[in-house]
Amino acid sequence: IQKRVKILLEQGHLVYESTSYRKDGTVIPVEASSGLIEYSGQPTILTIARDISERKQTAIALLESEKRYRTLVELSPEPMAVVCEGIIAYVNSAGVKIVHARNQKEVIGKSIFELIHPDYHAIAKKRIRQLLEEGEITAIIEYKIICLDDEVVDVELASMPIMYQGKPAIQIVMRNITERKKAMLQLRESEERYRTLVQWTPVPMAVESEGKLLYVNPAGLKLIGATSQKEVIGKKGFDFLHPDFHKTAQETVELLMKGQKAVEKIEQKL
């Protein structure tokens, strides 16, 4: 109290937080505003106090909410970061890991463009402008990022505008899709090898679904006397099979549909 009185006498006015008591003895937080006035010819301190219990409860709830949010972000398995004025202001543990850093200090303070592959700088600048100037939440997009050890990683990236420490910022959520991209590339290469094999094999081959032809390779077209895919695609396979062999062929199809992986070779007439 003596310290507050001293400040009040020096400055003439003082606003501070304190505690007070209700009639029932409940302790409540108050915001007090004290000033010097003259009362009955004597210098007097006038204090006006107001109950700030609700404000305090709101502040506590906000702090708890922010704490839960920080914990959620920090423990998230998805890499997350906050970019403010083009600089990385925060990165969670998963974000540290994805760029092959040892700790947050190695990442925080870097320009976001140090970690984005140069091929994606233009689109990144456009998205940052949309987020900060227009407040738009941009769609998920694929990027390439450059790790601290110069390894290039493919990521899916989602971003949204936020306020961070009182400044406009961008929150980023990433997902490493490098292995998925590799698997997709391997699948495409495998499919291409398979198509090439089927296309150029001298053995007639066809693909049929629900009784209709979807594909016939060149050797198959030659066998049935067709000159193009258009002549056969969409037609029933049985249209090219001699009627005497329809029953045998139907039995074979039924065995395959029941899960039998292969059937014995049988002779047919076209």
Side-chain angles (χ1 to χ4, degrees):
I1 294 176
Q2 291 178 346
K3 185 178 180 180
R4 288 175 183 165
V5 171
K6 182 180 179 181
I7 297 173
L8 178 60
L9 293 174
E10 291 175 352
Q11 300 179 357
H13 185 262
L14 179 64
V15 177
Y16 57 94
E17 290 186 6
S18 184
T19 55
S20 185
Y21 296 89
R22 290 196 176 104
K23 289 182 179 181
D24 61 3
T26 305
V27 178
I28 60 171
V30 296
E31 182 181 75
S33 176
S34 298
L36 291 174
I37 65 170
E38 188 174 306
Y39 183 75
S40 298
Q42 297 293 326
T44 305
I45 298 175
L46 174 64
T47 299
I48 300 173
R50 63 189 182 96
D51 186 347
I52 57 172
S53 300
E54 186 175 340
R55 190 177 79 186
K56 282 289 188 180
Q57 290 171 358
T58 301
I60 291 171
L62 178 60
L63 288 173
E64 291 176 347
S65 176
E66 290 177 345
K67 184 178 179 180
R68 288 194 297 269
Y69 174 75
R70 285 195 298 270
T71 301
L72 177 64
V73 169
E74 187 59 34
L75 297 179
S76 172
E78 301 291 358
M80 296 186 183
V82 174
V83 178
C84 187
E85 298 178 344
I87 303 299
I88 299 172
Y90 169 79
V91 61
N92 69 349
S93 299
V96 169
K97 184 178 179 180
I98 198 173
V99 296
H100 302 173
R102 291 173 296 182
N103 51 56
Q104 290 177 318
K105 291 181 179 180
E106 291 188 337
V107 184
I108 293 175
K110 286 184 175 292
S111 166
I112 187 64
F113 291 99
E114 291 184 50
L115 300 178
I116 296 177
H117 193 282
D119 291 349
Y120 293 82
H121 280 192
I123 190 169
K125 290 177 181 177
K126 180 179 179 181
R127 285 170 69 88
I128 289 173
R129 185 175 63 254
Q130 289 176 331
L131 284 162
L132 296 179
E133 295 180 4
E134 303 172 19
E136 295 182 2
I137 298 177
T138 54
I140 296 174
I141 192 172
E142 291 186 8
Y143 276 89
K144 288 184 184 292
I145 61 173
I146 303 175
C147 301
L148 299 192
D149 58 3
D150 294 330
E151 181 180 341
V152 177
V153 173
D154 292 290
V155 298
E156 276 184 343
L157 188 148
S159 49
M160 63 180 294
I162 63 169
M163 292 298 293
Y164 184 78
Q165 297 181 349
K167 295 181 179 180
I170 297 171
Q171 179 168 312
I172 294 171
V173 181
M174 294 174 282
R175 176 172 295 175
N176 191 336
I177 59 169
T178 303
E179 293 305 316
R180 189 176 80 188
K181 296 274 283 188
K182 287 181 180 178
M184 290 175 64
L185 177 61
Q186 291 171 353
L187 178 60
R188 285 197 296 269
E189 291 175 345
S190 175
E191 290 175 343
E192 183 61 32
R193 288 194 297 270
Y194 175 76
R195 282 195 296 270
T196 301
L197 174 64
V198 171
Q199 186 72 10
W200 297 107
T201 180
V203 179
M205 300 180 73
V207 177
E208 184 182 84
S209 177
E210 297 180 351
K212 294 183 179 181
L213 292 170
L214 302 179
Y215 170 81
V216 179
N217 72 346
L221 294 175
K222 183 178 180 181
L223 178 67
I224 59 178
T227 58
S228 68
Q229 295 277 344
K230 292 181 180 180
E231 294 180 52
V232 296
I233 299 304
K235 291 186 177 182
K236 294 181 179 180
F238 281 80
D239 290 346
F240 300 96
L241 188 64
H242 194 283
D244 292 348
F245 292 86
H246 281 193
K247 182 179 178 181
T248 304
Q250 184 62 41
E251 291 173 351
T252 301
V253 170
E254 290 175 356
L255 287 173
L256 291 171
M257 295 301 292
K258 289 179 180 179
Q260 186 167 323
K261 294 183 179 180
V263 295
E264 294 182 4
K265 292 182 180 180
I266 56 175
E267 291 185 359
Q268 305 276 15
K269 286 186 178 181
L270 303 178

